[in-house]
Amino acid sequence: MTITTSNVVPCPEVESLDAILPEEPLLMMGAGPVPIPAAVAKANAIVINHLGNTMAKVVGQVKTMARYVFQTNSKWVLGVAGPGSAAMEMAISNLAWRGTRVLSIKNGFFSARMAEMGRRVGADVTLLEVEDRAVATLEQVEEAIRRTRPEIVTIVQGETSNTVWNYHLQDIAALAKKAGALVVVDAVCTLSTMPLDMDAWGIDAVITGGQKGLSSIPGVSLIAFSDAAWERVKGRKDASPHWCLDAALAENFWHNAGYHYTAPVSGVLALHEALRLVCAETLEKRFARHLRCSLALQAGISAMGLQLYAPAECRLNSVVGIEVPVKSSLTPADICGHISRYHQVEISGSFGLPIVRIGQMGEQARAHNLFRTLHAFGRTMSELDVRVDLPAGVAALERALAAGRE
Ligand SMILES: *Cc1c(COP(=O)(O)O)cnc(C)c1O
C-alpha cells in the first residue's frame, strides 16, 4: 500500500550530528552549560515511566538531597521542567499577582529579569538600581524597603552577567524579613559553589538551574519554598496565570506521585546523579574546591597581565569576568571565537559588556580544566596580538593550587 502526502514541504536533507559536532567535545568553560560527570550523562540517556514506584523513589531522593543542598527543612522542594528562568518565573508568578509590591535589587542582566517577570504578572515592581561592579549597601536596601513597603524582595546571589557577588545577602534577607517581606533568591549560578543557608538566613524561595553549579544538564531546574511562601502560594485567590508553572499543580507530581505534566524523566535522573555527587563530596568540601580553584584562576589571569572586571570585595567566584584590553580593539566575540576554534575551549562574552567570562561551576572547578583553559586563553590572547605573560600566569595558577592542597 502506498500512502501519499502533498509534499508541499519536501523531505529535507540535513547533516548528521556526527558531521556537525566536533570530533572531540569542546571543553565547556563559559557561564554555563558546564561539563557533566559520566554518571550524569549516563542517567540522562535513560527513559523510565514518569509515574510509578521507581520515579516516586527517585523524586523522593531528589527532594531529600535538594534539601541538603538548599540547607532547608522545608517540605516544599519542587523540580521544574525548564531552564533556570522557568524556576524564577515559577517563584514570581506564584508569589506575586496584580498589585503585589515587589522590590527587585538589580545588579545586572539576570536580576533585571526577575523584575520583568514581576511586571508581567501585574506586580507593582520597584527597582533598586545598583551601579555596575558594586553591591547595594544595607542602607540603600533599608531605605528602599521603608519607601516601598514590599511584600516580596528579589535578589540574585551571584549576578553572572557582570560577575558581582551579593555578599550582603544574609543581612538583606534579615532586613526584608523584619519588614514582613518574603525573600526570593536567584541562586542559579551559585548553588553548591558557595554557602547559602536557606533556613538559617530566612530565605523564602531559592531558585537554581541544572547546568551551572550542580553540573547537570540544562532544562531541569529546582526551587524550594519556605512554609510562609507556600502558604502564600496556596492562599492566593486567582489561580497562577502559568499552568505549567503553577506550584499548586506541580505539587501533584513532586509530592503526591500524581500527574501534572509528563516530567522530563531523563533530566530528573541526571539531576539525581548530580545531587548525589554533591552529597558524596559534601557541601563544605565542594565550597572549598570552588573557592580554591576560582582564586587560583584569578591569580593566573592577573599574573598574565590582564584585569579582572569585578573589584575583589564583591567578586563572584562562580564566574570570573576578565576585561578585554581597551587598546586591543578586540571584541569579546573575537576572543571566544578564537579560543573555541583553535583551542577547543568554550568561554563566554557577556551581553554587551567589554569582558569575557570563564566559569568555575561544578566540573569546571578542577585543576586539569584550569590548566588547559588558562593555557588556551593565554595562547589565544597572544595569537590575537595582546601581550600577555603566559608562563607567569601558569606559574601563578600552579602556586595558588599548590598552596591550597593539604
Ligand atoms: C544562568 C542564569 C539564569 C538563567 O538561567 P537559564 O537556565 O538560562 O534560564 C538566571 N540567573 C542567573 C544568576 C544565572 O546565572
Side-chain angles (χ1 to χ4, degrees), residues 63-304:
K63 287 186 295 184
T64 301
M65 294 187 288
R67 284 187 192 107
Y68 168 66
V69 177
F70 286 122
Q71 285 295 294
T72 183
N73 278 310
S74 167
K75 178 171 180 220
W76 305 112
V77 172
L78 305 162
V80 185
S85 301
M88 290 160 82
E89 198 141 42
M90 189 185 226
I92 295 293
S93 65
N94 282 276
L95 291 170
W97 45 83
R98 187 153 298 286
T100 300
R101 292 184 307 280
V102 176
L103 174 64
S104 287
I105 301 172
K106 184 199 151 196
N107 291 92
F109 189 76
F110 290 108
S111 34
R113 183 175 292 178
M114 255 200 315
E116 170 65 13
M117 288 170 174
R119 281 190 290 271
R120 287 187 182 207
V121 296
D124 175 9
V125 179
T126 307
L127 276 187
L128 172 50
E129 295 250 16
V130 185
E131 260 177 75
D132 192 34
R133 303 193 237 197
V135 296
T137 64
L138 293 178
E139 292 70 34
Q140 286 170 324
V141 174
E142 211 164 14
E143 191 282 321
I145 288 177
R146 206 169 331 127
R147 182 161 45 83
T148 65
R149 296 183 302 107
E151 298 162 85
I152 295 169
V153 173
T154 71
I155 182 169
V156 66
Q157 184 177 29
E159 176 52 72
T160 324
S161 61
N162 59 5
T163 66
V164 161
W165 170 41
N166 265 318
Y167 58 89
H168 285 317
L169 179 55
Q170 184 178 1
D171 294 331
I172 287 172
L175 286 176
K177 185 113 288 192
K178 204 169 74 184
L182 295 176
V183 184
V184 176
V185 175
D186 172 352
V188 174
C189 83
T190 49
L191 196 78
S192 91
T193 74
M194 62 171 66
L196 184 143
D197 281 291
M198 180 171 168
D199 285 5
W201 296 3
I203 297 169
D204 294 288
V206 179
I207 295 143
T208 199
Q211 77 278 18
K212 300 201 184 169
L214 294 177
S215 259
S216 186
I217 59 156
V220 180
S221 303
L222 278 173
I223 185 166
F225 291 101
S226 68
D227 285 332
W230 194 254
E231 215 171 281
R232 186 175 167 90
V233 168
K234 297 295 278 226
R236 57 181 292 157
K237 278 212 272 314
D238 300 325
S240 159
H242 298 301
W243 188 90
C244 282
L245 296 177
D246 185 333
L249 292 178
E251 184 188 352
N252 284 340
F253 179 76
W254 287 92
H255 290 275
N256 304 326
Y259 177 64
H260 174 202
Y261 51 71
T262 304
V265 288
S266 315
V268 174
L269 293 171
L271 186 60
H272 180 282
E273 288 305 278
L275 289 166
R276 194 176 57 74
L277 292 171
V278 175
C279 294
E281 184 174 16
T282 75
L283 286 176
E284 290 82 357
K285 291 215 173 85
R286 196 173 175 91
F287 297 154
R289 168 165 67 84
H290 280 86
L291 185 61
R292 184 168 67 243
C293 284
S294 183
L295 290 177
L297 174 66
Q298 293 169 35
I301 286 163
S302 301
M304 262 182 358

